[in-house]
Amino acid sequence: MFGTHYRIERKSVVLAVAIMIVASIGGLIEIAPLFTIDETVETDPNMRVYTPLELAGRNIYMREGCYACHSQMIRTLRDEVERYGPYSLAVESKYDHPMLWGSKRTGPDLARVGGKYSDQWHTAHLTNPRDVVPESIMPRYSFLRAAPLQTAHLADDLRALRRVGVPYTDEMIANATADAAAQASPDDDTAGLVKRYGDATQVRTFDGDKDTVTEMDALVAYLQILGKLSSAAHTPPPVQTAQK
Amino acid sequence: MVSGLTVNERQRALVVLALLAIVGMAMAAFGAMRGDLLQVHGFVVLLFSLVVLAPVLKGYFAPEPPAERLHDYYDDPIKVGIILSMIWAVFGMGVGDWVAWLLAFPDMTFDAAWSSFGRLRPVHTTGVIFGFGGSALIATSFHVMQRTSRARLADQFSPWFVLIGYQLFCILAVSGYLIGITQSKEYAEPEWYADIWLVVVWVVYLLLYLRTLARRKEPHIYVANWYYLAFILVVAILHIVNNLAVPASFAGVKSYSAFSGVQDAMTQWWYGHNAVAFFLTAGFLGMLYYYLPKRAERPIYSYRMSIVGFWGITFFYMWAGSHHLHYTALPDWVQTLGMTFSLMLLIPSWIAAGNALATLNGAWHRVRDDAALRFMMMAAIFYGLSTFEGSFMAIRPVNALSHYTDWTVAHVHAGVLGWDALITFGAFYALVPWLWKRERMYSPVLVEVHFWLALAGTLIYVFAMWNSGIIQGLMWRTYNDSGTLTYSFLDTMIAMHPYYIARAIGGLLFLTGTLIACYNIWMTIRRPAPRAAPAGDTPLPQPGAPLPANPQPAE
Ligand code: HEM
Ligand code: HEM
């Protein structure tokens, strides 16, 4: 064995090829099957996609690095389930490109925060967390309320997501900009939006300001949908057998 | 520096910079038409090319360098690399300490988007890992590949392209987070155009490495080079696969990852863990295996341990990524594989660390007297410690406690401060006098002071985070007699406060040490050179002359 190596280490290209082969094996065996084994992701025919406004909110969540302090992955451990709700299933992040499971909980898990608080609470909390929770160490995001949401190119975002596998329809893509505005303006005609994304679509002025659609509207709309795209995790019996 | 380039190479530099400027202008124009942040990055690229253009133009009409230069090593890019690396160190650790204070006092910042924790944190991680660590790896690899091959770099243009091009990647990354451009994938945050640029730089880097190895006058490739080569090759594979994405528009910054959900999580942590393995470990093991034996003037303890350690690390690490996803929606079989291989990984890791420490046998008096060597020894010890800790944390029930808490942060910084930063400082303290042809560092006392500040800072940081992590993990799962959870999340957050202050103080000590190192390096460079070149560095054999008697530190 060491004799062979004594010869290999005299040839740089052989060494390089050997490194690539040896290093590739682990990833191939662990990752490739995740795309082919059906049980990896549960099926949920009622799973819905993010509306353009929620998607914009999700992009703000990424931009602000909320994932650096908040996880979105409830593990299969008793205390987590009791604290945050049913443990997360793979299907729930099926349309998340990329996923935002996170690796650090400086703040609480947000996988099921949708519906836990009112829109006003979120808006006040994001504007200055210490107004609502005096001890909080979360940063302030008051600037979101002043920033009008950029919606002009949302169709491109939906189209790119369709390219990677999210089932946005032509109609959804064509109406992306209008749908984003409509979801935060309940006085507008929202019938088309609700028809495209389902009856459960939440149409409200999320940040309490009717006149402009702001980044705060988008982010709160996203927070309020967390854990609600699929009901698979709540339907007994669980699709995936529980681990200890 | 530019006067050391041939006229032909200067022209090549002009062409590349002109192309870069054009790309920058195109990005700015397309971005402006779309009203997209790409506009800002277009100007950043343009500005960068102009800043680099200035010295090229200034030195353009200097006379051709003498042909004798080819009889010596090419060290200019290494010198610049060391300085750049130290600048990134101060910047990245400065932001790190700021971020650390923010977790104790959240309003210690400006009321502006760019200065909020979520944007600054990736500035810290990218600044230190890619800026400081990456520049140090590139610089030392140029030194090690020449010395161990006893050959000059294959050409004079590509090392500059690699080093300077890499800086552009880091600048795009860091400036991007501040203005809101990120893919949000940990350690792979830069967007698609920066990722493509890094691939270009990396291909040139690999070719340069292979071409220089091809010129070597030693029949065998020394073990440090195996590690550097693994670092370059595997980082390329990881980077390309994990960053596969579809841009929303070629005139915009935003892209969407090709993978989603559980597949994305596995790909991301296959990348993330092996960025640790091949960026933060393999590359730095390359440093350890050259500078430690060199400085101790002892051959590597065991050739066989080098081989087993190297291939074990290359093979096992790639299976271990799933230990970042224990008890998540990732299928059990992958979690089990990840845990098993993480445990096995301890063996080659300790072989690699043990081989380095055993090399010091017979040179302990040097460790006592020479702070640079002590930096390297301490790095090997921390490497052993953090891999032990990592394997322990990869055990599922242990991870149930440690995951999501500061215990991970403690493990991270035991690795990056105690291992990566210390080995880098040790290598720099050896390199700076060699490259600038000084007898020794300006002040050995300041090296000593730096050593103790860095060690104290690391220990304070790590102990604070062990405490906070384990306390918070335990509080989260504490039940009272009636079978309900005892502590609210907020209770557990408030309990962290004193530890966050302690960590920030530890970080401040570490940062102070880094500033002292900058001063010391600067004063060493400014001191006049002695007439005769001091010993220590391996000389290049001159044509016709026999190989010098200074053997490679191995085999
Ligand atoms: C002055 C020294 C340093 C200080 C004060 C510092 C501080 C910090 C802080 C406060 C965090 C955020 C932790 C959290 O979110 O809870 C962090 C994360 C991190 N730092 Fe540092 N840091 C320092 C040096 C370094 C160096 C030299 C490196 C790498 C070469 C590094 C790599 C990282 C990484 C990889 C993370 C992310 C950890 C994770 O996601 O679990 N740090 N650091
Ligand atoms: C035998 C070797 C090692 C093993 C088995 C190992 C294992 C682990 C484990 C289990 C985690 C926690 C994952 C989680 O719960 O989220 C982790 C995190 C981490 N480790 Fe290691 N580790 C090893 C060596 C190292 C070394 C030497 C370094 C640094 C130079 C390092 C850097 C990191 C970083 C940066 C993270 C944080 C990732 C994140 O969550 O952002 N590890 N490692």
PDB file of all heavy atoms in Angstrom, chain B residues 124-142:
ATOM      1  N   HIS B 124     -18.815  39.069   8.762  1.00  0.00           N
ATOM      2  CA  HIS B 124     -17.787  38.486   9.636  1.00  0.00           C
ATOM      3  C   HIS B 124     -17.313  37.133   9.104  1.00  0.00           C
ATOM      4  O   HIS B 124     -16.113  36.921   8.917  1.00  0.00           O
ATOM      5  CB  HIS B 124     -18.346  38.332  11.053  1.00  0.00           C
ATOM      6  CG  HIS B 124     -17.576  37.382  11.910  1.00  0.00           C
ATOM      7  ND1 HIS B 124     -16.225  37.556  12.181  1.00  0.00           N
ATOM      8  CD2 HIS B 124     -17.929  36.224  12.535  1.00  0.00           C
ATOM      9  CE1 HIS B 124     -15.803  36.547  12.949  1.00  0.00           C
ATOM     10  NE2 HIS B 124     -16.812  35.728  13.164  1.00  0.00           N
ATOM     11  N   THR B 125     -18.253  36.219   8.848  1.00  0.00           N
ATOM     12  CA  THR B 125     -17.814  34.869   8.484  1.00  0.00           C
ATOM     13  C   THR B 125     -17.065  34.885   7.152  1.00  0.00           C
ATOM     14  O   THR B 125     -16.020  34.249   7.014  1.00  0.00           O
ATOM     15  CB  THR B 125     -19.002  33.885   8.415  1.00  0.00           C
ATOM     16  OG1 THR B 125     -19.992  34.409   7.541  1.00  0.00           O
ATOM     17  CG2 THR B 125     -19.622  33.667   9.772  1.00  0.00           C
ATOM     18  N   THR B 126     -17.562  35.628   6.178  1.00  0.00           N
ATOM     19  CA  THR B 126     -16.865  35.677   4.902  1.00  0.00           C
ATOM     20  C   THR B 126     -15.529  36.404   5.035  1.00  0.00           C
ATOM     21  O   THR B 126     -14.522  35.975   4.479  1.00  0.00           O
ATOM     22  CB  THR B 126     -17.731  36.378   3.840  1.00  0.00           C
ATOM     23  OG1 THR B 126     -18.953  35.667   3.725  1.00  0.00           O
ATOM     24  CG2 THR B 126     -17.052  36.403   2.489  1.00  0.00           C
ATOM     25  N   GLY B 127     -15.535  37.503   5.783  1.00  0.00           N
ATOM     26  CA  GLY B 127     -14.305  38.274   5.954  1.00  0.00           C
ATOM     27  C   GLY B 127     -13.192  37.432   6.553  1.00  0.00           C
ATOM     28  O   GLY B 127     -12.061  37.454   6.076  1.00  0.00           O
ATOM     29  N   VAL B 128     -13.508  36.658   7.588  1.00  0.00           N
ATOM     30  CA  VAL B 128     -12.443  35.872   8.211  1.00  0.00           C
ATOM     31  C   VAL B 128     -12.145  34.588   7.440  1.00  0.00           C
ATOM     32  O   VAL B 128     -10.974  34.267   7.212  1.00  0.00           O
ATOM     33  CB  VAL B 128     -12.745  35.538   9.693  1.00  0.00           C
ATOM     34  CG1 VAL B 128     -12.454  36.732  10.583  1.00  0.00           C
ATOM     35  CG2 VAL B 128     -14.153  35.059   9.880  1.00  0.00           C
ATOM     36  N   ILE B 129     -13.181  33.864   7.012  1.00  0.00           N
ATOM     37  CA  ILE B 129     -12.900  32.576   6.364  1.00  0.00           C
ATOM     38  C   ILE B 129     -12.279  32.810   4.996  1.00  0.00           C
ATOM     39  O   ILE B 129     -11.185  32.331   4.694  1.00  0.00           O
ATOM     40  CB  ILE B 129     -14.176  31.728   6.208  1.00  0.00           C
ATOM     41  CG1 ILE B 129     -14.777  31.403   7.573  1.00  0.00           C
ATOM     42  CG2 ILE B 129     -13.864  30.434   5.459  1.00  0.00           C
ATOM     43  CD1 ILE B 129     -16.056  30.618   7.496  1.00  0.00           C
ATOM     44  N   PHE B 130     -12.980  33.565   4.150  1.00  0.00           N
ATOM     45  CA  PHE B 130     -12.498  33.706   2.777  1.00  0.00           C
ATOM     46  C   PHE B 130     -11.451  34.812   2.660  1.00  0.00           C
ATOM     47  O   PHE B 130     -10.442  34.626   1.986  1.00  0.00           O
ATOM     48  CB  PHE B 130     -13.681  33.927   1.822  1.00  0.00           C
ATOM     49  CG  PHE B 130     -14.581  32.724   1.756  1.00  0.00           C
ATOM     50  CD1 PHE B 130     -15.812  32.722   2.372  1.00  0.00           C
ATOM     51  CD2 PHE B 130     -14.167  31.579   1.103  1.00  0.00           C
ATOM     52  CE1 PHE B 130     -16.631  31.588   2.339  1.00  0.00           C
ATOM     53  CE2 PHE B 130     -14.969  30.444   1.063  1.00  0.00           C
ATOM     54  CZ  PHE B 130     -16.211  30.457   1.685  1.00  0.00           C
ATOM     55  N   GLY B 131     -11.705  35.956   3.308  1.00  0.00           N
ATOM     56  CA  GLY B 131     -10.730  37.034   3.212  1.00  0.00           C
ATOM     57  C   GLY B 131      -9.415  36.683   3.886  1.00  0.00           C
ATOM     58  O   GLY B 131      -8.382  36.531   3.235  1.00  0.00           O
ATOM     59  N   PHE B 132      -9.461  36.508   5.201  1.00  0.00           N
ATOM     60  CA  PHE B 132      -8.248  36.222   5.971  1.00  0.00           C
ATOM     61  C   PHE B 132      -7.718  34.822   5.657  1.00  0.00           C
ATOM     62  O   PHE B 132      -6.582  34.654   5.200  1.00  0.00           O
ATOM     63  CB  PHE B 132      -8.581  36.373   7.460  1.00  0.00           C
ATOM     64  CG  PHE B 132      -7.599  35.753   8.420  1.00  0.00           C
ATOM     65  CD1 PHE B 132      -6.275  36.147   8.437  1.00  0.00           C
ATOM     66  CD2 PHE B 132      -8.026  34.778   9.330  1.00  0.00           C
ATOM     67  CE1 PHE B 132      -5.379  35.571   9.340  1.00  0.00           C
ATOM     68  CE2 PHE B 132      -7.139  34.213  10.237  1.00  0.00           C
ATOM     69  CZ  PHE B 132      -5.810  34.599  10.241  1.00  0.00           C
ATOM     70  N   GLY B 133      -8.557  33.805   5.849  1.00  0.00           N
ATOM     71  CA  GLY B 133      -8.091  32.431   5.652  1.00  0.00           C
ATOM     72  C   GLY B 133      -7.711  32.157   4.208  1.00  0.00           C
ATOM     73  O   GLY B 133      -6.644  31.606   3.922  1.00  0.00           O
ATOM     74  N   GLY B 134      -8.578  32.545   3.281  1.00  0.00           N
ATOM     75  CA  GLY B 134      -8.332  32.255   1.859  1.00  0.00           C
ATOM     76  C   GLY B 134      -7.082  32.950   1.349  1.00  0.00           C
ATOM     77  O   GLY B 134      -6.251  32.332   0.669  1.00  0.00           O
ATOM     78  N   SER B 135      -6.903  34.231   1.681  1.00  0.00           N
ATOM     79  CA  SER B 135      -5.706  34.934   1.212  1.00  0.00           C
ATOM     80  C   SER B 135      -4.460  34.293   1.812  1.00  0.00           C
ATOM     81  O   SER B 135      -3.430  34.154   1.139  1.00  0.00           O
ATOM     82  CB  SER B 135      -5.759  36.411   1.604  1.00  0.00           C
ATOM     83  OG  SER B 135      -6.943  36.988   1.122  1.00  0.00           O
ATOM     84  N   ALA B 136      -4.543  33.887   3.089  1.00  0.00           N
ATOM     85  CA  ALA B 136      -3.389  33.241   3.722  1.00  0.00           C
ATOM     86  C   ALA B 136      -3.084  31.915   3.031  1.00  0.00           C
ATOM     87  O   ALA B 136      -1.919  31.570   2.807  1.00  0.00           O
ATOM     88  CB  ALA B 136      -3.669  33.013   5.210  1.00  0.00           C
ATOM     89  N   LEU B 137      -4.135  31.179   2.673  1.00  0.00           N
ATOM     90  CA  LEU B 137      -3.907  29.890   2.003  1.00  0.00           C
ATOM     91  C   LEU B 137      -3.264  30.100   0.642  1.00  0.00           C
ATOM     92  O   LEU B 137      -2.327  29.382   0.264  1.00  0.00           O
ATOM     93  CB  LEU B 137      -5.228  29.131   1.850  1.00  0.00           C
ATOM     94  CG  LEU B 137      -5.783  28.526   3.131  1.00  0.00           C
ATOM     95  CD1 LEU B 137      -7.182  27.980   2.912  1.00  0.00           C
ATOM     96  CD2 LEU B 137      -4.866  27.410   3.624  1.00  0.00           C
ATOM     97  N   ILE B 138      -3.758  31.084  -0.108  1.00  0.00           N
ATOM     98  CA  ILE B 138      -3.191  31.320  -1.434  1.00  0.00           C
ATOM     99  C   ILE B 138      -1.729  31.735  -1.299  1.00  0.00           C
ATOM    100  O   ILE B 138      -0.841  31.195  -1.980  1.00  0.00           O
ATOM    101  CB  ILE B 138      -4.020  32.383  -2.183  1.00  0.00           C
ATOM    102  CG1 ILE B 138      -5.401  31.817  -2.528  1.00  0.00           C
ATOM    103  CG2 ILE B 138      -3.315  32.832  -3.459  1.00  0.00           C
ATOM    104  CD1 ILE B 138      -6.342  32.798  -3.179  1.00  0.00           C
ATOM    105  N   ALA B 139      -1.460  32.668  -0.383  1.00  0.00           N
ATOM    106  CA  ALA B 139      -0.084  33.148  -0.229  1.00  0.00           C
ATOM    107  C   ALA B 139       0.853  32.018   0.189  1.00  0.00           C
ATOM    108  O   ALA B 139       1.901  31.799  -0.422  1.00  0.00           O
ATOM    109  CB  ALA B 139      -0.043  34.286   0.796  1.00  0.00           C
ATOM    110  N   THR B 140       0.465  31.272   1.229  1.00  0.00           N
ATOM    111  CA  THR B 140       1.382  30.223   1.692  1.00  0.00           C
ATOM    112  C   THR B 140       1.497  29.109   0.668  1.00  0.00           C
ATOM    113  O   THR B 140       2.559  28.508   0.533  1.00  0.00           O
ATOM    114  CB  THR B 140       0.908  29.626   3.032  1.00  0.00           C
ATOM    115  OG1 THR B 140      -0.432  29.162   2.871  1.00  0.00           O
ATOM    116  CG2 THR B 140       0.971  30.639   4.151  1.00  0.00           C
ATOM    117  N   SER B 141       0.418  28.832  -0.077  1.00  0.00           N
ATOM    118  CA  SER B 141       0.531  27.759  -1.064  1.00  0.00           C
ATOM    119  C   SER B 141       1.549  28.141  -2.135  1.00  0.00           C
ATOM    120  O   SER B 141       2.314  27.293  -2.595  1.00  0.00           O
ATOM    121  CB  SER B 141      -0.833  27.448  -1.689  1.00  0.00           C
ATOM    122  OG  SER B 141      -1.219  28.460  -2.588  1.00  0.00           O
ATOM    123  N   PHE B 142       1.596  29.420  -2.511  1.00  0.00           N
ATOM    124  CA  PHE B 142       2.605  29.848  -3.488  1.00  0.00           C
ATOM    125  C   PHE B 142       4.014  29.616  -2.938  1.00  0.00           C
ATOM    126  O   PHE B 142       4.932  29.253  -3.674  1.00  0.00           O
ATOM    127  CB  PHE B 142       2.454  31.337  -3.812  1.00  0.00           C
ATOM    128  CG  PHE B 142       1.240  31.670  -4.649  1.00  0.00           C
ATOM    129  CD1 PHE B 142       0.840  32.991  -4.817  1.00  0.00           C
ATOM    130  CD2 PHE B 142       0.510  30.674  -5.277  1.00  0.00           C
ATOM    131  CE1 PHE B 142      -0.267  33.312  -5.591  1.00  0.00           C
ATOM    132  CE2 PHE B 142      -0.601  30.984  -6.040  1.00  0.00           C
ATOM    133  CZ  PHE B 142      -0.997  32.308  -6.196  1.00  0.00           C
TER     134      PHE B 142
END
